[in-house]
């Protein structure tokens, strides 16, 4: 038996200002810090002990993981960061708020993007202030891998190799794993674990900072799912 805990990062500064964030490395808001610490207290109260942690290469997820592990006295556990757990890349929308998006692209286009699985937003230009084209943390990646925009399908697909190569083997080895990541990268894992359809996953959204605990049998079938809250 093994356990997997998924935590969506606490509220970020751009969640607060309602801007598309994607791969822009914004910080947690004060509320987001409190959400992360509360997640750690809940983990401690439930006696959850981990063997391995995974997170993205974005500070809002990394700091959520660290606050939660510190509150549960587990900052010492092995930790791996990967771009594959990053949030969906919103392309040229990164940095725009709701008003600016509607003004630039129109309500009809926003409605299409909002409900689509396979439609790409416009790609971000390398000279856009919110582009990651020159970001050192991706310099070791094939430039063709670093996205300039992602649809939900592409985002979910680039998460899954990390599940296959790292997370699933840990769980099959009986390890307990904690992952602090983002709304859409966690959707990918939730979709696979719970066998959710392409259509239904559009309506699945995790709350910020609320730990979700999956229990697996030795064949990686889910035997229990619990959301930790007060
Ligand atoms: C920053 C922001 C802009 C628009 C909104 S919304 O109220 O229009 N709701 C909304 C909008 C979108 C989306 C959304 O989920 C949403 O609730 C998207 O998922 C989306 C994905 C790829 C490109 C564009 C979008 C998108 O415009 C919310 C927040």
């Amino acid at each position: 038996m093994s356990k997997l805990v998924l935590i969506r990062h606490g509220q970020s500064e751009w969640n607060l200002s309602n801007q598309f964030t994607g791969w822009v490395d914004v910080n947690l808001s004060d509320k987001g810090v409190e959400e992360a610490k509360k997640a750690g207290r809940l983990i401690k109260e439930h006696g959850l002990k981990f063997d391995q942690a995974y997170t993205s290469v974005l500070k809002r997820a990394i700091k959520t993981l660290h606050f939660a592990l510190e509150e549960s006295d587990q900052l010492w556990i092995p930790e791996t960061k990967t771009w594959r757990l990053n949030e969906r890349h919103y392309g040229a929308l990164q940095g725009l708020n709701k008003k600016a998006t509607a003004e630039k692209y129109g309500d009809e286009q926003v409605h299409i993007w909002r409900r689509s699985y396979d439609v790409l937003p416009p790609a971000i230009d390398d000279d856009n202030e919110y582009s990651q084209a020159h970001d050192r943390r991706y310099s070791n990646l094939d430039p063709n891998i670093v996205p300039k925009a992602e649809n939900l399908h592409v985002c979910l697909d680039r998460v899954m190799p990390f599940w296959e190569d790292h997370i699933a083997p840990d769980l099959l080895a009986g390890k307990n794993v904690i992952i602090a990541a983002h709304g859409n990268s966690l959707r990918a894992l939730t979709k696979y674990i719970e066998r959710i359809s392409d259509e239904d996953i559009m309506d699945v959204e995790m709350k910020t900072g609320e730990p979700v605990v999956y229990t697996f049998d030795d064949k990686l079938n889910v035997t229990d799912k619990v959301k930790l809250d007060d």
Side-chain angles (χ1 to χ4, degrees):
M1 183 187 85
S2 56
K3 291 187 182 291
L4 172 64
V5 174
L6 303 181
I7 306 177
R8 183 180 176 191
H9 65 77
Q11 182 193 70
S12 75
E13 289 169 344
W14 281 14
N15 291 151
L16 206 52
S17 56
N18 216 10
Q19 289 172 264
F20 280 115
T21 313
W23 285 31
V24 182
D25 198 14
V26 300
N27 211 340
L28 290 171
S29 65
D30 292 342
K31 179 183 176 186
V33 170
E34 288 314 309
E35 288 177 333
K37 290 179 177 178
K38 176 182 173 185
R41 289 194 295 274
L42 289 168
I43 285 167
K44 186 173 186 176
E45 286 165 15
H46 286 77
L48 290 164
K49 298 193 186 331
F50 304 111
D51 305 292
Q52 175 70 43
Y54 294 110
T55 189
S56 72
V57 294
L58 299 170
K59 70 177 72 166
R60 59 192 188 269
I62 297 165
K63 292 174 85 167
T64 296
L65 176 67
H66 290 174
F67 280 122
L69 289 177
E70 185 167 24
E71 287 296 317
S72 59
D73 304 317
Q74 301 181 78
L75 256 180
W76 60 272
I77 66 169
E79 170 184 318
T80 300
K81 302 179 183 72
T82 175
W83 71 274
R84 289 189 179 276
L85 289 174
N86 274 17
E87 178 55 282
R88 169 182 179 174
H89 196 297
Y90 282 97
L93 304 184
Q94 292 187 162
L96 298 183
N97 62 25
K98 180 173 178 176
K99 182 170 181 287
T101 306
E103 282 173 354
K104 188 166 186 178
Y105 296 100
D107 292 335
E108 183 57 32
Q109 179 63 69
V110 168
H111 182 76
I112 293 167
W113 281 328
R114 189 169 180 172
R115 294 305 307 163
S116 75
Y117 187 67
D118 286 302
V119 176
L120 278 171
I124 194 165
D125 293 330
D126 289 356
D127 60 1
N128 183 314
E129 64 178 309
Y130 300 125
S131 163
Q132 286 69 46
H134 308 296
D135 190 321
R136 188 164 68 88
R137 82 194 81 185
Y138 308 111
S139 58
N140 64 324
L141 294 181
D142 175 344
N144 295 319
I145 283 189
V146 181
K148 295 183 185 302
E150 290 182 310
N151 58 35
L152 187 55
H153 192 171
V154 163
C155 174
L156 303 188
D157 282 356
R158 53 90 165 157
V159 172
M160 294 318 293
F162 196 79
W163 165 271
E164 297 296 338
D165 297 344
H166 299 276
I167 304 166
D170 281 350
L171 296 171
L172 286 167
K175 291 182 181 178
N176 293 334
V177 174
I178 180 171
I179 299 175
H182 306 263
N184 286 299
S185 51
L186 292 174
R187 263 178 168 172
L189 299 178
T190 303
K191 182 176 193 290
Y192 179 82
I193 292 166
E194 299 190 29
R195 298 180 172 83
I196 298 171
S197 71
D198 294 356
E199 184 182 3
D200 291 345
I201 195 62
M202 302 293 292
D203 298 319
V204 172
E205 185 158 357
M206 290 178 68
K207 287 181 184 173
T208 51
E210 182 185 73
V212 176
V213 185
Y214 289 99
T215 303
F216 295 92
D217 66 17
D218 57 9
K219 292 190 174 21
L220 227 45
N221 299 305
V222 176
T223 56
D224 188 40
K225 173 186 177 182
V226 173
K227 294 180 182 179
L228 304 187
D229 54 24
D230 271 335

